[in-house]
């Protein structure tokens, strides 16, 4: 007999129910508890303004007006002092005690006459002096004029010399510039030549590779076939699309052979990535002579 | 960029959008988890009851009652008896049988009794340990299964990326999230299984020690009775 066979283990049903309950609870926790990013992001209202709203003008205190300039009024020029005619006062007749009572009128007349004469003389002298001064002035002015003319002449000479010098300098500069330009041109030509050489080198490589794939037979009958293919490339040497025959050799069969060869020759040996010449190869018109 | 934000990343949609193989993996893991939880509860209840019965029987046994009475009681309630009672029953039955046979020396009787108890003991232990190996398997394998689903899902996500010129995180993220669900389910199945296995293995070991001690003590008692 085997006592272990007919035993019953407790809680089979309870265990099953509990297991299901645990899972349902866990699932519910996951679904309702861990809601990751279920809400769409909140809508944000944005007002678009064409212009900035007028700023409530902040009255910056206007700069204080500059203090009134103390108007330094130049003192009025002193009145011309030297009056050419100093009014010399006639000397006052000193009353002479005269014992004899002479007729006053005669004396008086005489006196007056005398004063008048004196005055006239004085005036004459003044006039003369003035004339002299004017002459002097005129002479001086003339002298000054002459001097100015002389100075002007000298100045002109100087200017001319300067002008000449400048012209010479300009000529020198132009010459130098030209020389430099020439040198640059030569350099450029040399560079271009070098670039051309490099370009030719790459182009030859491309041609060589295509030539390896050309089936010679279709072109053999032609005298000197020349085909121009237009090809567009990816930088890795594969073609974008198919090559287009720009200039036919005259035989469509030969054209086709070369075209197919170009397709078969992919990837073509273009300049390496980053090479400055690569861009010239992106769109290439390749002259091709299949019989060479 | 907006796509990533508004994409529905809830668990259910992630599971529903996963590829078929990943869904199968997830289904398998879910089943494994269900079954392992079922056994976890069953073992828990079973071992708890075994412990209780053990306690009760030891109390009865050491209360100094008559062994024959005890034996009768155990035989009558066979279907609800515990492991230790069964060991006692087997040992006592064998002992009485052997003692009735004439010409048996004492050592042979005790050996027979011990063998009978040992056999029952092992059967009982086997019963207590049943299904524990399943928990161990789930605990060790299901993370790998989940990982497999994840790797597969991520492979799919990246394969989809290959057709796109500009790869953005938004294009990969849902695929990876989907795939990672598989690992999550695997871990969900594995962690309770491992914990329960360790706990139950310890419990069963302790019960086994109790049974061992009981067998030794019972043998001593029987030997004393036989000599009387």
């Amino acid at each position: 007999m085997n006592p272990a066979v007919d035993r019953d283990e407790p809680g089979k049903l309870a265990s099953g129910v509990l297991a299901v309950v645990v899972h349902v609870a866990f699932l519910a926790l996951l679904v309702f508890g861990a809601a990751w990013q279920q809400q769409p992001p909140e809508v944000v209202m944005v007002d678009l303004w064409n212009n900035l709203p007028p700023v409530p003008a902040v009255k910056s205190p206007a700069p204080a007006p500059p203090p009134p300039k103390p108007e330094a009024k130049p003192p009025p020029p002193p009145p011309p002092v030297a009056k050419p005619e100093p009014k010399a006062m006639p000397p006052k007749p000193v009353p002479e005690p005269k014992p004899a009572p002479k007729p006053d009128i005669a004396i008086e007349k005489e006196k007056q006459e005398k004063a008048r004469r004196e005055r006239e003389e004085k005036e004459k002298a003044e006039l003369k002096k003035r004339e002299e001064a004017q002459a002097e002035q005129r002479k001086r002015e003339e002298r000054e004029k002459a001097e100015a003319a002389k100075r002007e002449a000298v100045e002109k000479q100087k200017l001319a010399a300067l002008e000449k010098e400048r012209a010479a300098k300009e000529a020198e500069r132009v010459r130098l510039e030209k020389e430099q330009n020439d040198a640059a041109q030569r350099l450029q030509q040399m560079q271009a030549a070098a670039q051309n050489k490099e370009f030719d080198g790459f182009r030859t490589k491309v041609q060589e590779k295509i030539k390896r794939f050309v089936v010679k037979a279709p072109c053999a009958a032609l005298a000197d076939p020349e085909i121009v293919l237009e090809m567009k490339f990816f930088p890795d040497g594969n073609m974008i699309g198919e090559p287009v025959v720009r200039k036919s050799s005259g035989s469509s069969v030969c054209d086709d052979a070369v075209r197919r060869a170009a397709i078969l020759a992919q990837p073509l040996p273009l300049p390496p990535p980053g090479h400055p010449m690569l861009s010239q190869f992106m769109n290439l018109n390749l002259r091709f002579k299949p019989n060479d | 960029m907006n796509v990533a934000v508004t994409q529905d990343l809830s668990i259910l949609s992630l599971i529903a959008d996963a590829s078929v193989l990943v869904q199968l993996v997830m289904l398998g893991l879910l089943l494994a988890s269900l079954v392992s939880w079922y056994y976890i509860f069953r073992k828990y209840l079973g071992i708890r009851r075994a412990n209780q019965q053990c306690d009760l029987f030891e109390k009865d046994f050491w209360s100094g009652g008559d062994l024959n009475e005890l034996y009768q009681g155990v035989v009558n309630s066979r279907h609800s008896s515990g492991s230790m009672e069964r060991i006692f029953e087997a040992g006592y039955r064998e002992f009485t049988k052997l003692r009735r046979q004439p010409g048996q020396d004492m050592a042979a009787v005790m050996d027979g009794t011990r063998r009978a108890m040992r056999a029952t003991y092992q059967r009982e232990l086997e019963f207590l340990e049943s299904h524990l190996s399943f928990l161990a398997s789930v605990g060790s394998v299901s993370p790998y299964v989940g990982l497999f689903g994840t790797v597969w899902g991520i492979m799919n996500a990246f394969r989809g990326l290959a057709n796109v010129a500009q790869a953005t995180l938004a294009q990969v993220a849902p695929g990876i999230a989907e795939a990672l669900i598989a690992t999550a389910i695997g871990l969900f199945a594995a962690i309770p299984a491992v914990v329960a296995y360790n706990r139950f293995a310890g419990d069963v070991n302790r019960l086994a020690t109790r049974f061992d001690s009981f067998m030794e003590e019972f043998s001593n008692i029987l030997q004393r009775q036989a000599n009387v």
Side-chain angles (χ1 to χ4, degrees):
Chain A
M1 65 175 263
N2 187 352
V5 171
D6 54 353
R7 71 182 51 211
D8 61 323
E9 201 175 6
K12 274 184 182 166
L13 185 68
S15 307
V17 170
L18 277 173
V20 171
V21 164
V22 165
H23 283 82
V24 168
F26 187 73
L27 202 66
L29 193 76
L30 268 187
V31 172
F32 299 112
W36 295 314
Q37 303 180 345
Q38 268 176 328
Q39 275 86 23
E42 267 183 42
V43 177
V44 179
M45 280 274 280
V46 178
D47 285 338
L48 290 178
W49 291 73
N50 215 356
N51 287 319
L52 281 177
V55 178
V58 178
K59 275 266 167 90
S60 59
K69 260 193 205 151
E71 269 180 44
K73 268 208 179 139
V81 190
K83 273 257 172 111
E85 300 153 87
K87 269 195 190 140
M89 270 294 175
K92 265 188 186 158
V94 183
E96 278 174 30
K98 286 209 171 146
K102 272 187 180 172
D104 280 348
I105 296 181
I107 292 170
E108 206 53 32
K109 261 194 181 157
E110 209 174 316
K111 263 189 202 165
Q112 275 177 355
E113 188 68 16
K114 208 176 153 193
R116 198 180 53 82
R117 259 206 314 273
E118 271 178 13
R119 222 183 301 151
E120 270 174 9
E121 254 170 53
K122 238 181 217 168
E123 267 172 19
K124 240 186 239 168
E126 281 289 323
L127 201 72
K128 206 178 160 198
K129 226 191 249 173
R130 226 185 303 164
E131 268 170 11
E132 268 175 20
Q134 273 176 357
E136 184 80 5
Q137 178 89 14
R138 261 204 302 280
K139 240 192 245 170
R140 220 174 33 228
E141 273 174 8
E142 262 167 35
R143 231 187 4 251
E144 270 173 13
K145 234 185 240 170
E147 249 169 54
K150 230 202 275 177
R151 262 208 307 272
E152 216 166 279
V154 169
E155 197 86 341
K156 246 185 211 162
Q157 242 173 349
K158 257 194 216 163
L159 258 171
L162 271 174
E163 191 69 22
K164 226 165 136 190
E165 210 177 318
R166 221 184 38 212
K169 265 190 195 162
E170 180 72 22
E172 175 75 12
R173 201 175 57 78
V174 167
R175 200 176 58 76
L176 275 175
E177 223 166 66
K178 209 178 150 201
E179 260 174 33
Q180 266 177 356
N181 274 353
D182 282 355
Q185 232 164 20
R186 266 202 301 279
L187 195 69
Q188 238 171 17
Q189 276 167 2
M190 268 159 64
Q191 277 175 349
Q195 275 181 356
N196 268 340
K197 215 169 143 194
E198 213 181 349
F199 183 81
D200 284 347
F202 281 119
R203 200 176 51 192
T204 311
K205 270 193 211 160
V206 172
Q207 280 169 338
E208 294 288 321
K209 182 148 188 203
I210 295 179
K211 192 168 285 179
R212 265 190 272 153
F213 289 88
V214 174
V215 180
K216 291 269 166 58
C219 299
L222 299 168
D224 186 16
E226 193 186 74
I227 298 160
V228 176
L229 286 179
E230 187 191 340
M231 293 176 275
K232 293 191 173 75
F233 288 106
F234 288 114
D236 63 352
N238 283 313
M239 266 179 232
I240 305 174
E242 292 208 332
V244 180
V245 178
R246 284 280 166 235
K247 188 183 159 223
S248 170
S249 64
S251 152
S252 64
V253 186
C254 181
D255 294 350
D256 237 25
V258 174
R259 212 171 53 81
R260 271 201 303 275
I263 294 171
L264 282 174
Q266 297 180 77
L268 288 162
L270 296 191
H275 197 282
M277 216 154 276
L278 183 59
S279 59
Q280 298 178 38
F281 276 89
M282 293 287 90
N283 198 342
L284 185 67
N285 274 322
L286 191 69
R287 193 173 300 278
F288 198 77
K289 293 187 173 178
N291 282 2
D292 278 358
Chain B
M1 168 186 169
N2 238 0
V3 181
V5 179
T6 52
Q7 204 132 40
D8 190 8
L9 282 181
S10 74
I11 296 283
L12 289 180
S13 67
L14 281 183
I15 292 174
D17 291 345
S19 68
V20 177
L21 185 81
V22 178
Q23 280 179 337
L24 281 180
V25 165
M26 290 194 278
L27 186 70
L29 286 173
L30 193 72
L31 283 179
S33 175
L34 264 173
V35 176
S36 75
W37 272 98
Y38 169 69
Y39 282 129
I40 286 169
F41 283 119
R42 235 177 94 171
K43 279 285 118 184
Y44 174 72
L45 294 175
I47 288 175
R48 196 177 63 169
R49 204 171 77 152
N51 265 324
Q52 284 169 350
Q53 285 171 335
C54 228
D55 289 344
L56 278 177
F57 178 74
E58 273 188 328
K59 211 169 116 193
D60 279 352
F61 184 79
W62 293 111
S63 61
D66 184 21
L67 284 182
N68 270 321
E69 262 175 47
L70 204 57
Y71 177 70
Q72 285 305 321
V74 168
V75 169
N76 288 339
S77 64
R78 173 175 277 175
H79 290 289
S80 61
S81 59
S83 305
M84 202 182 265
E85 285 159 292
R86 271 190 271 269
I87 292 171
F88 164 77
E89 180 200 339
Y92 195 71
R93 185 168 56 230
E94 193 62 29
F95 176 72
T96 46
K97 271 185 196 163
L98 285 175
R99 237 177 91 184
R100 262 186 243 128
Q101 287 179 359
Q104 285 282 351
D105 76 329
M106 198 51 223
V109 170
M110 287 317 297
D111 271 353
T113 308
R114 223 179 243 125
R115 271 197 300 275
M117 285 198 291
R118 179 62 54 180
T120 311
Y121 162 83
Q122 281 187 346
R123 212 175 289 125
E124 289 301 318
L125 269 196
E126 193 200 5
F127 169 73
L128 282 174
E129 277 175 346
S130 64
H131 305 305
L132 276 190
S133 61
F134 177 81
L135 287 183
S137 298
V138 168
S140 55
V141 169
S142 65
Y144 296 118
V145 177
L147 199 60
F148 167 69
T150 294
V151 169
W152 192 267
I154 289 181
M155 272 161 57
N156 271 345
F158 281 123
R159 270 223 320 260
L161 202 62
N163 303 327
V164 185
Q166 202 177 14
T168 60
L169 196 56
Q171 286 159 340
V172 212
I176 291 178
E178 262 169 41
L180 286 176
I181 294 276
T183 300
I185 295 179
L187 291 178
F188 172 69
I191 293 170
V194 171
V195 171
Y197 173 77
N198 286 336
R199 160 100 197 264
F200 296 152
D203 283 352
V204 170
N205 259 342
R206 233 170 301 133
L207 273 175
T209 316
R210 275 175 89 175
F211 294 161
D212 259 336
S213 330
F214 170 75
M215 274 154 56
E216 298 302 322
E217 285 161 346
F218 187 46
S219 304
N220 279 345
I221 291 171
L222 286 181
Q223 201 160 7
R224 251 182 281 138
Q225 253 193 8
N227 285 339
V228 170

